[in-house]
Amino acid sequence: MKFTKKYETYMRGIRTKEEELPGVGLKRLKKMLKKCRSQLTSHHQTASPSSSSDAGVRCAGHCSVCDGSFFPSLLDEMSAVVGCFNEKAKKLLELHLASGFKKYALWFTSRCHRSHGQLIQQGKDLVKYAIINAVAMRKILKKYDKIHYSKQGQEFKAQAQSLHIEILQSPWLSELMAFYMNLRRSKNNEAAMELFGDCSLTFDDDQPTLSCSLFDSMRVDISLTCSICLDTMFDPVALSCGHIFCYLCCCSAASVTIVDGLKSAHHKSKCPLCRQAGVFPNAVHLDELNMLLSYSCPEYWEKRMQMERVERVRLAKEHWESQCRAFLGI
């Protein structure tokens, strides 16, 4: 079965459930590209009647047939898919991590009282939804470049990453993967072991990597080594650009204190990796990933926790001493 048919079947299947989820209109986008190719071939044959092949037909610069409708349409669809995925994943994980009165309040305000098994299945469905839409976006951009003999599709993908609408860069994807692995560890949830067996945490040369096998031979590998301290991440946070670091490392990179936090970071502060500005205030704490790492390397975690505690006390002390000096005018 071709991917387009597989994708359409999948989207029809999920639309018969509770609500209709946004997707990528592969058939419609392919029709745009087909129309573009036919018009280019017709124009080429008119300009060069003696030519019998359209193998050399190319779009010179930007394509008026595609660029006015193809990219804006795909951009809207990608934004809708990523926005839907992020919102649903956030609500699911918030419900799982909540405790006490907050947990009961969230359950009460939900549309229906879901069992624990239903929450697990919902998480699995969300991961599948993210993956299959990521493959769909990759394939249609690859087809665009093939038809136009260009790299505009890859450039658009890079633009999507800068706009935070690349679904595989969403921090909620890594959180959902960690969510499953944490459930697999639970003795009370042995049924969850069989739900997502292709997700794993590996340590190669003490370098942790969170991996997930995807459709169409794709694979997501998320390095859990902080690029700032070059150690296994502790209290990880994901910036809005998708890159993950230790919380203290992020505070240092953003030039803010742990007392003020990342929300106080200047809007011109840049990600240490991609150099994108304004990515610190909306950083997301990856609590499920933090729990997964603490379970997976307990000895290292205990040692790192003691070091972090000493460092946080020192930084907090320095912060309040500087505040006191400023107040007294010393």
Side-chain angles (χ1 to χ4, degrees), residues 32-239:
M32 290 183 190
L33 296 178
K34 187 176 181 180
K35 179 181 178 182
C36 173
R37 170 175 276 181
S38 62
Q39 290 194 17
L40 283 171
T41 302
S42 175
H43 175 76
H44 179 71
Q45 290 177 347
T46 302
S48 306
S50 60
S51 176
S52 60
S53 172
D54 64 340
V57 179
R58 301 172 182 243
C59 280
H62 294 283
C63 174
S64 58
V65 178
C66 288
D67 294 3
S69 55
F70 179 86
F71 286 125
S73 178
L74 183 57
L75 186 66
D76 290 341
E77 290 171 354
M78 289 175 71
S79 299
V81 168
V82 174
C84 176
F85 171 75
N86 288 345
E87 181 183 359
K88 289 184 174 296
K90 183 178 179 181
K91 287 182 179 179
L92 175 65
L93 292 166
E94 184 181 27
L95 180 58
H96 179 246
L97 292 170
S99 60
F101 177 77
K102 182 179 180 181
K103 189 176 187 72
Y104 286 106
L106 288 170
W107 277 91
F108 182 76
T109 55
S110 298
R111 289 185 179 180
C112 61
H113 295 287
R114 301 181 178 90
S115 67
H116 201 74
Q118 287 175 318
L119 290 177
I120 297 172
Q121 185 60 45
Q122 185 182 359
K124 180 185 178 184
D125 292 341
L126 279 174
V127 173
K128 187 174 182 180
Y129 173 73
I131 290 170
I132 200 167
N133 276 285
V135 177
M137 294 170 192
R138 185 197 67 169
K139 283 187 172 291
I140 196 66
L141 289 173
K142 186 176 180 181
K143 189 169 186 67
Y144 179 95
D145 284 344
K146 182 178 179 181
I147 287 178
H148 294 84
Y149 299 89
S150 73
K151 293 184 178 180
Q152 291 183 46
Q154 295 304 311
E155 292 172 359
F156 177 82
K157 187 176 180 181
Q159 180 188 1
Q161 293 175 352
S162 67
L163 294 173
H164 315 312
I165 56 173
E166 169 57 56
I167 199 164
L168 294 182
Q169 284 193 321
S170 171
W172 301 112
L173 181 59
S174 59
E175 272 288 82
L176 281 176
M177 292 162 64
F179 165 74
Y180 273 108
M181 297 192 68
N182 289 334
L183 286 173
R184 287 204 307 227
R185 288 186 51 84
S186 174
K187 294 180 181 179
N188 297 325
N189 296 296
E190 293 180 0
M193 292 286 291
E194 304 300 326
L195 286 179
F196 206 59
D198 51 356
C199 185
S200 61
L201 176 64
T202 58
F203 289 85
D204 295 328
D205 297 326
D206 293 330
Q207 303 294 313
T209 302
L210 187 62
S211 303
C212 179
S213 300
L214 309 183
F215 297 97
D216 198 43
S217 301
M218 283 185 65
R219 184 178 178 85
V220 168
D221 292 311
I222 303 173
S223 175
L224 300 182
T225 299
C226 178
S227 301
I228 298 176
C229 66
L230 303 180
D231 210 340
T232 300
M233 294 175 185
F234 185 89
D235 191 12
V237 291
L239 306 184

Side-chain angles (χ1 to χ4, degrees), residues 171-172 174-175 235-238 244 284-291:
W172 301 112
S174 59
E175 272 288 82
D235 191 12
V237 291
I244 306 174
V284 176
H285 279 268
L286 305 180
D287 297 318
E288 293 281 358
L289 188 57
N290 195 46
M291 286 191 292

